[in-house]
Amino acid sequence: MGLPARQEDVRAVMVAVLTPYLGRNMAQSSAKLYLERLGPVTAVGAAEVEQILTWMRPGLRVFAGEQRAALVLGELRAALMKLLEGA
Amino acid sequence: MSSRSRVDPYLAAVLLVVFALFLPKLVLADTHLYRELLTPRVLLTAGCALKICALVIAALLAGRVARSFAPGDAMRTGWWLATVWLGCWSLGQGYLGVYQIGLGTSAPFPSGGDLFFILGYPAMIAAFAFFVHAMTTTGLVGPLRAQLVVALAAALPAMVLLVFVLRPVVSADVAPAERALNLAYPSLDVVALLPALLLARFALRLAGGAVFFVWALLSLGIVCMVAGDLLYAWFSSLSFSALDPVLDVAFIAAYLLVARAVFQQHRISVSVRAPPDEAR
């Protein structure tokens, strides 16, 4: 696993993955909400990524259903891990 | 991957055909076109068939959508209630179809079909309440109280219109059952309009995403239905039939929009292999 990534980069990845499903506004609100929930951290590591995905699951299930939510979260996990590996 | 909203070309095409078939009758009713080709029977049959197809497909898909949510999930309950709503209305429209397609005449009012339509309303309103509840629990659409105030303000014109429309209905010289239904339909519609407007507000926050179309089309469908029912009650109490093509278009559009909304949710949560761009 690589170094923690900057919050701005994590936010950008989250918005990019969520926008096709939730639209840009909701994707940005969602990314902001969950990153703020992490508290005053400037860098995001693998543990924080897993925490964010856990927080996101119930909300995403409401809009997209069980299977699609799992698919989107898998896509997001892969994109964020790729970011961490490149950090 | 594009995130821009785009109008569903198939839905737009079907709606355009419906408008083109029904609305010119408002000014061309006495022409060859509407006396020989698009006769009342042809329009009645086409309109009824479209409504039955839209409602049956929507009911079947809503059931599949419900199963895509986990047991105990508020959205699952909401979609099951939507299945009951659309199932009841399919039966109601099917009952009307016996007259409109089978016999080529307008169905009597009231009829057995109204029983199914009335039975569908509590399920529809409860479904919307579950959807709103589930969405507010995500923390992404803002607090319910603030949203409710805005939705109430938005529903106010419909409530004022309801009072205006119901006044002649109350005093109309019609059978008690007809009066009761002419009061019940618009009143239940306005009750349903409130959560539908909340869903429309939530939809605006989802603009640009695949999920947007589910709630935007559903809300728009309900708005068309409310408009149709309010006008129907009003025209019926005044024995005014010149604007019937507007009613036909309102109801057909409402059911098509609702069916497309359910199909959209089906593409998102059931056809999970489809990428989000295809789900639009």
Side-chain angles (χ1 to χ4, degrees):
Chain A
M1 195 61 60
L3 296 168
R6 292 185 314 149
Q7 269 215 15
E8 299 81 54
D9 298 333
V10 172
R11 186 190 305 253
V13 169
M14 288 174 75
V15 170
V17 173
L18 295 176
T19 292
Y21 304 94
L22 302 181
R24 192 156 188 85
N25 285 342
M26 186 66 94
Q28 283 174 335
S29 305
S30 181
K32 183 171 181 278
L33 177 77
Y34 296 119
L35 284 170
E36 279 178 359
R37 202 181 279 183
L38 282 176
V41 290
T42 50
V44 178
E48 285 81 14
V49 165
E50 288 306 323
Q51 182 62 73
I52 289 170
L53 295 174
T54 305
W55 283 333
M56 286 182 71
R57 186 168 290 115
L60 207 51
R61 276 196 310 218
V62 165
F63 294 108
E66 199 74 28
Q67 283 178 289
R68 177 70 77 174
L71 201 76
V72 177
L73 290 173
E75 199 182 325
L76 185 56
R77 177 183 283 112
L80 289 173
M81 289 306 174
K82 196 174 163 190
L83 177 73
L84 294 186
E85 280 162 14
Chain B
M1 185 180 298
S2 163
S3 63
R4 285 184 296 120
S5 307
R6 51 191 173 108
V7 178
D8 183 322
Y10 302 109
L11 178 67
V14 174
L15 286 174
L16 276 176
V17 169
V18 170
F19 292 163
L21 281 178
F22 286 86
L23 291 183
K25 195 180 176 186
L26 289 168
V27 288
L28 303 173
D30 288 330
T31 60
H32 177 77
L33 177 70
Y34 283 99
R35 275 190 282 128
E36 303 297 329
L37 293 171
L38 297 174
T39 60
R41 178 162 192 171
V42 169
L43 291 179
L44 207 58
T45 303
C48 185
L50 264 175
K51 288 182 209 169
I52 291 174
C53 286
L55 287 170
V56 168
I57 290 170
L60 293 174
L61 292 180
R64 286 175 59 91
V65 168
R67 284 196 295 271
S68 74
F69 289 89
D73 193 317
M75 288 302 273
R76 184 182 174 99
T77 311
W79 280 107
W80 274 127
L81 286 163
T83 309
V84 173
W85 153 42
L86 294 163
C88 282
W89 284 20
S90 299
L91 291 172
Q93 192 59 47
Y95 189 98
L96 300 185
V98 172
Y99 292 91
Q100 297 177 345
I101 297 174
L103 304 174
T105 61
S106 293
F109 180 70
S111 74
D114 292 296
L115 177 70
F116 293 111
F117 283 115
I118 290 292
L119 281 175
Y121 269 99
M124 175 178 68
I125 294 165
F128 290 172
F130 271 94
F131 293 149
V132 168
H133 167 70
M135 287 189 198
T136 49
T137 58
T138 63
L140 293 171
V141 293
L144 181 59
R145 191 173 293 177
Q147 305 284 0
L148 207 55
V149 171
V150 180
L152 266 171
L156 204 61
M159 291 177 190
V160 171
L161 198 63
L162 181 71
V163 174
F164 177 69
V165 164
L166 292 189
R167 206 177 293 165
V169 173
V170 171
S171 56
D173 184 23
V174 293
E178 185 176 342
R179 183 183 297 117
L181 284 173
N182 274 340
L183 290 171
Y185 281 129
S187 306
L188 288 166
D189 278 337
V190 172
V191 174
L193 188 63
L194 197 65
L197 288 173
L198 279 171
L199 294 173
R201 270 186 65 76
F202 298 162
L204 289 178
R205 302 194 60 150
L206 294 157
V211 179
F212 163 77
F213 291 98
V214 179
W215 306 106
L217 293 173
L218 187 68
S219 313
L220 194 59
I222 298 305
V223 168
C224 286
M225 192 190 76
V226 172
D229 275 338
L230 284 173
L231 290 174
Y232 181 83
W234 194 31
F235 295 164
S236 170
S237 65
L238 299 174
S239 300
F240 187 54
S241 61
L243 295 178
D244 279 358
V246 176
L247 299 181
D248 291 328
V249 167
F251 287 119
I252 295 169
Y255 297 164
L256 287 173
L257 288 165
V258 168
R260 182 62 183 86
V262 180
F263 177 61
Q264 180 70 3
Q265 184 67 54
H266 185 271
R267 297 210 73 176
I268 293 168
S269 55
V270 181
S271 310
V272 291
R273 284 181 193 158
D277 268 4
E278 274 182 33
R280 275 185 228 151

